[in-house]
Amino acid sequence: MDRKTWENLKQKAQNVKWVEVVVNRFRQGQIVIRVDFGKRILSWRDSNRWYNDFTRNIAEDQVQSIRSQLVPLLADARPSELTACDPNLDYSWCLSLGMAEDKEPNLNSSGVDDKNPDWLQFIKSIENTADQLVDPIGGH
């Protein structure tokens, strides 16, 4: 990726107001993580472990860490109506991005590979912030 494209993606990441991550593991449930950058709130819902749900404030440096790891994933983001997250696959993830405070996403990205280095870096930044593993069974 050239420098100009990278700078454009970094600028776009700074304009993202919120991000929602959905991770599906076949027969192991779904984790939904929402980060509101403006309010600095991270919420975590685990369909398989109800006692694992929480909402917490996060520090500004944690917000910036998540934003910086979001940049490479923006290269594949597309309009929201074109993305679907399939819970029947062994592993799948969806990323919804909101460029405004409303609840409708503007862009989505998705994948079925838990080995994608950009995805792993992004999810690692969320795990570090939440002090919680997204995939405690498979690990990263």
Side-chain angles (χ1 to χ4, degrees):
M1 178 176 324
D2 65 48
R3 184 170 172 78
K4 184 178 180 183
T5 303
W6 184 255
E7 290 301 320
N8 287 340
L9 290 175
K10 278 176 58 175
Q11 182 59 42
K12 187 183 272 190
Q14 289 302 315
N15 294 329
V16 172
K17 304 292 185 204
W18 57 267
V19 61
E20 187 171 271
V21 181
V22 177
V23 178
N24 289 303
R25 291 289 308 213
F26 185 64
R27 292 192 172 174
Q28 294 176 14
Q30 178 184 78
I31 294 175
V32 179
I33 305 158
R34 184 175 174 99
V35 180
D36 186 315
F37 293 123
K39 296 176 183 172
R40 295 189 357 229
I41 295 174
L42 182 140
S43 60
W44 184 289
R45 290 186 323 257
D46 187 334
S47 70
N48 205 26
R49 295 173 190 89
W50 61 268
Y51 54 85
N52 202 27
D53 297 351
F54 61 87
T55 299
R56 67 174 59 137
N57 287 334
I58 56 177
E60 184 60 33
D61 62 323
Q62 293 170 315
V63 167
Q64 291 309 319
S65 173
I66 294 170
R67 271 192 205 275
S68 68
Q69 298 305 321
L70 180 62
V71 173
L73 294 173
L74 288 173
D76 295 327
R78 50 198 174 276
S80 30
E81 63 273 0
L82 300 177
T83 305
C85 202
D86 189 350
N88 298 314
L89 297 173
D90 182 45
Y91 184 95
S92 66
W93 56 269
C94 289
L95 195 63
S96 300
L97 304 162
M99 307 305 254
E101 297 296 329
D102 62 14
K103 297 191 187 268
E104 292 302 315
N106 299 94
L107 296 170
N108 279 338
S109 186
S110 63
V112 295
D113 183 6
D114 63 348
K115 304 294 185 249
N116 175 321
D118 295 333
W119 166 252
L120 290 176
Q121 284 297 111
F122 176 71
I123 208 63
K124 208 38 117 177
S125 69
I126 289 179
E127 288 175 337
N128 290 339
T129 299
D131 197 25
Q132 198 70 252
L133 292 177
V134 168
D135 185 9
I137 296 168
H140 297 303

